Amino acid sequence: MVLAALAAVVVLSLAAAALRWLAAHPWTVAAVLLAAAAGAGAWAWRRREAARWEQVRASGLRYAVSQLDGLHHRAFEFAVRDLMHRDGCADARQVGGRGDNGADVKATDPFGRRWVIQCKHRKAGWSGKPVGSPDLQVLNGTGRQIHHGDVVVMLTNGRITADATQFAKSQRLHLVDRHLLAEWASGSRPLWELLRALPPGGRQATR
């Protein structure tokens, strides 16, 4: 008890001394407060500048289709994510990997539509193995039922078979082949301006 009382007396004495010193040097408190305000302002400015430059970088993002050919298939998925982000999908993310159930990129466009994109990368580009109906059947079984997509897309830097094209039309799937990918990646128009027959915006979109 005696030690506790002594400790309390010491603490109170130090606090009183500190208060007396601050009262005698009020400019110190003002300087500390000004420094803190300046630091907070600088931090907020840096955050705003970083966000602005990220927007500038994203808005200027372009890929030649030959660049996309040379990517690893996972990097190709990240490139598609970045392009969706460039076009205004703030939540665009790469989700491909083991157990992805046919989705490699997901995003919500400015109209509220949920996009589910499966990416098929071909090192040989147009000369590589074409995307066929079996690939689309997998996507058709998961794009809406599992991933709740409003716009379900098969995207490739290669080509798509005629059978797969017919199947996509019958199931309201959207296709992006090498030609359309080149136009999108190297241009400035968002993907939803290049595709036809998209559902309306908002959560009323047909599934």
Side-chain angles (χ1 to χ4, degrees), residues 98-203:
R98 185 173 303 215
D100 59 24
N101 289 315
D104 294 315
V105 176
K106 292 183 180 181
T108 306
D109 68 24
F111 305 99
R113 294 173 298 212
R114 293 178 181 171
W115 289 64
V116 175
I117 304 174
Q118 186 175 57
C119 302
K120 293 293 183 183
H121 184 260
R122 301 293 187 248
K123 282 288 186 183
W126 189 262
S127 301
K129 180 182 177 182
V131 175
S133 296
D135 297 311
L136 284 168
Q137 289 166 7
V138 172
L139 179 61
N140 189 50
T142 61
R144 297 185 181 92
Q145 293 86 338
I146 294 178
H147 300 295
H148 309 293
D150 298 312
V151 185
V152 182
V153 180
M154 174 65 74
L155 181 149
T156 181
N157 64 322
R159 54 199 171 95
I160 300 171
T161 66
D163 287 346
T165 300
Q166 290 302 317
F167 179 80
K169 288 180 180 178
S170 69
Q171 300 300 314
R172 295 182 293 112
L173 303 175
H174 298 274
L175 303 178
V176 177
D177 65 4
R178 183 178 184 82
H179 299 305
L180 188 56
L181 175 63
E183 182 180 357
W184 176 45
S186 63
S188 58
R189 296 176 65 192
L191 191 53
W192 44 89
E193 290 186 4
L194 301 175
L195 294 174
R196 298 179 178 178
L198 294 182
R203 298 310 305 149

Side-chain angles (χ1 to χ4, degrees), residues 52-65:
R52 185 175 72 85
W53 281 112
E54 170 60 21
Q55 185 176 17
V56 170
R57 184 202 66 79
S59 65
L61 182 64
R62 302 287 187 275
Y63 285 105
V65 72

Side-chain angles (χ1 to χ4, degrees), residues 67-109:
Q67 289 178 281
L68 298 174
D69 291 342
L71 296 178
H72 182 272
H73 70 88
R74 191 70 70 223
F76 180 64
E77 295 170 7
F78 279 104
V80 171
R81 177 207 63 182
D82 291 345
L83 288 167
M84 293 297 287
H85 184 268
R86 176 200 72 182
D87 292 346
C89 302
D91 66 345
R93 64 193 188 280
Q94 185 274 343
V95 295
R98 185 173 303 215
D100 59 24
N101 289 315
D104 294 315
V105 176
K106 292 183 180 181
T108 306
D109 68 24

